[in-house]
Amino acid sequence: MKYKNAYREVMREFEASRTRAEELQDARREEIYKKTPRLNIIDKKLGELGLSLARLALSGDENSAREAREKSDALKNERLSLLAKKGISENYLHPAYNCKNCADTGYITHSPGLPVTPCVCLKQRLIEEYYSLSNMRDVLRDENFDTFDIRLFSTEIIENEGLSPRTNIEANYRYAINFVQSFGNDFQNLLLYGETGLGKTFLSHCIAKDLLDAGYTVLYLTVPRLCKVIEDSRFNRESLAAPDEMLETVDETDLLVLDDLGAEVSTIVTSSALFDIINQRLLMRKPTVISTNLSPNGLASQYSERIVSRFLGNYQMLKFFGEDIRVKKKYGGVRMY
């Protein structure tokens, strides 16, 4: 599976970035120390005092600790004065990490004894890697609100629906716009259903593109691909660099877009995991957009009652109907922009 090495490659990037920052820091220090040897002496003394303060804190010797802090403060002030005379910022000698929160490790320790948590920068970089692997960046350049063309949808009223495909898609388009505009304030989920080629995936791409542009983390996966990730995580863990990273991202990304629900080969493992993902995101109030070729009755036939109940109770159901737009675009001579 091409996703299985994504975490490993991203962590290599982080390690390389951290190494570059620290090598640059060492080079800058060597340069400054040559010009101002006193700074080298001060930094060594500050390091020694730091160790002394740690030991004194454990021993409870407050008087000695106070004297050590006073010496440390005096050296720090002298250090700042020397740097200022040379016209050098104090930050010049600090590592120039891309992310100050995690120092390019990808993880943050909030306090001693607590487990580390993935940094926001790592989550976003993993999502970017997943997008690169699925070629979604190119797709979103072509499929977004700016290239949406209402002319592709017929104005002829469909008798069993009581309205035309164009009127219907206009309503769905408005729902999508509202979803984007209220994102982060109102908790909403969308389930787009209807036959193939009616614009479900296109509209979900529109939503993804706008939210990515707004700075949110968005992960797009087909459900068959998600099920493959689940199966690999369950049964091929020893061959994966970090088998839980992808599934953690599925849970935590600001918006999860699941395409082609119903096209997967369902197993007890994948069905249970799919429910857990849907339910967990509901509990965490993390929005999800799902598209499927199945009708509500089809969903009820293929999935357990507890999954379908989550859809019916927590998702805005948007129906798509009409002619196959993909065929019409190919042979009808109407462009998307």
Side-chain angles (χ1 to χ4, degrees):
M1 187 181 80
K2 62 183 179 179
Y3 285 95
K4 71 181 181 182
N5 292 321
Y7 174 82
R8 180 184 297 154
E9 293 303 317
V10 167
M11 291 311 295
R12 282 176 182 165
E13 288 179 15
F14 274 66
E15 183 178 357
S17 175
R18 190 169 65 255
T19 300
R20 284 194 300 271
E22 291 168 358
E23 287 176 348
L24 177 61
Q25 178 194 31
D26 290 341
R28 286 176 171 178
R29 277 180 176 169
E30 186 176 348
E31 171 198 355
I32 297 299
Y33 289 164
K34 282 181 180 179
K35 293 179 179 178
T36 314
R38 176 60 182 166
L39 277 172
N40 190 9
I41 295 169
I42 289 173
D43 283 348
K44 286 180 179 178
K45 287 184 176 180
L46 284 172
E48 292 168 1
L49 282 169
L51 292 173
S52 296
L53 280 167
R55 288 194 295 268
L56 290 169
L58 292 173
S59 70
D61 187 345
E62 281 298 323
N63 289 331
S64 296
R66 184 173 59 255
E67 289 177 9
R69 281 194 293 271
E70 288 173 355
K71 288 179 181 178
S72 178
D73 290 341
L75 286 169
K76 287 177 182 177
N77 288 332
E78 183 184 353
R79 185 177 189 274
L80 287 172
S81 177
L82 284 171
L83 289 171
K85 286 179 181 177
K86 297 291 182 180
I88 299 168
S89 165
E90 187 181 10
N91 292 334
Y92 183 74
L93 294 178
H94 294 167
Y97 296 121
N98 290 326
C99 179
K100 295 179 181 178
N101 295 325
C102 71
D104 292 356
T105 64
Y107 290 89
I108 296 175
T109 303
H110 296 283
S111 59
L114 291 178
V116 297
T117 57
C119 183
V120 171
C121 70
L122 174 59
K123 294 178 185 177
Q124 184 60 52
R125 183 64 192 89
L126 281 169
I127 287 174
E128 289 170 359
E129 186 66 13
Y130 300 149
Y131 265 89
S132 175
L133 290 170
S134 62
N135 298 316
M136 279 301 297
R137 292 293 181 189
D138 291 337
V139 171
L140 295 183
R141 277 197 292 269
D142 295 331
E143 299 190 1
N144 52 70
F145 285 119
D146 291 335
T147 61
F148 190 91
D149 190 348
I150 203 73
R151 295 173 300 163
L152 288 166
F153 298 86
S154 172
T155 58
E156 183 177 347
I157 292 176
I158 306 295
E159 190 173 343
N160 350 343
E161 303 295 345
L163 69 162
S164 70
R166 184 173 296 186
T167 300
N168 179 68
I169 198 64
E170 285 174 342
N172 290 344
Y173 182 91
R174 285 194 296 272
Y175 269 115
I177 291 290
N178 177 69
F179 182 89
V180 170
Q181 290 178 341
S182 62
F183 197 88
N185 296 316
D186 297 336
F187 174 58
Q188 301 180 67
N189 303 284
L190 300 179
L191 194 149
L192 287 51
Y193 72 95
E195 294 181 5
T196 302
L198 300 178
K200 304 184 301 297
T201 299
F202 193 107
L203 201 57
S204 66
H205 288 168
C206 293
I207 293 170
K209 172 70 164 54
D210 267 32
L211 290 177
L212 280 168
D213 289 347
Y216 292 101
T217 58
V218 180
L219 179 61
Y220 171 95
L221 282 174
T222 65
V223 178
R225 171 57 64 190
L226 174 61
C227 288
K228 185 69 169 63
V229 171
I230 291 167
E231 293 278 3
D232 280 348
S233 180
R234 177 70 180 271
F235 299 114
N236 301 316
R237 294 180 67 86
E238 65 283 353
S239 68
L240 302 182
D244 294 328
E245 289 298 330
M246 180 74 153
L247 295 180
E248 286 180 7
T249 304
V250 167
D251 283 340
E252 297 176 6
T253 184
D254 294 329
L255 175 68
L256 175 64
V257 180
L258 294 179
D259 195 15
D260 225 3
L261 178 71
E264 73 279 8
V265 177
S266 183
T267 67
I268 293 174
V269 170
T270 56
S271 293
S272 175
L274 184 61
F275 170 79
D276 288 343
I277 288 167
I278 290 167
N279 195 55
Q280 179 67 10
R281 289 187 64 81
L282 287 172
L283 292 174
M284 295 173 66
R285 297 183 68 78
K286 296 277 191 177
T288 305
V289 173
I290 298 175
S291 64
T292 179
N293 294 343
L294 298 173
S295 66
N297 287 338
L299 290 170
S301 298
Q302 185 159 331
Y303 295 99
S304 66
E305 182 180 348
R306 62 179 189 163
I307 289 182
V308 176
S309 68
R310 297 301 188 279
F311 291 151
L312 297 178
N314 299 280
Y315 282 68
Q316 176 64 49
M317 311 282 282
L318 303 182
K319 184 176 182 179
F320 288 68
F321 59 84
E323 301 174 84
D324 189 325
I325 300 303
R326 293 171 189 165
V327 173
K328 193 168 184 178
K329 282 171 61 181
K330 186 172 182 179
Y331 300 109
V334 179
R335 300 183 67 187
M336 286 300 291
Y337 50 89

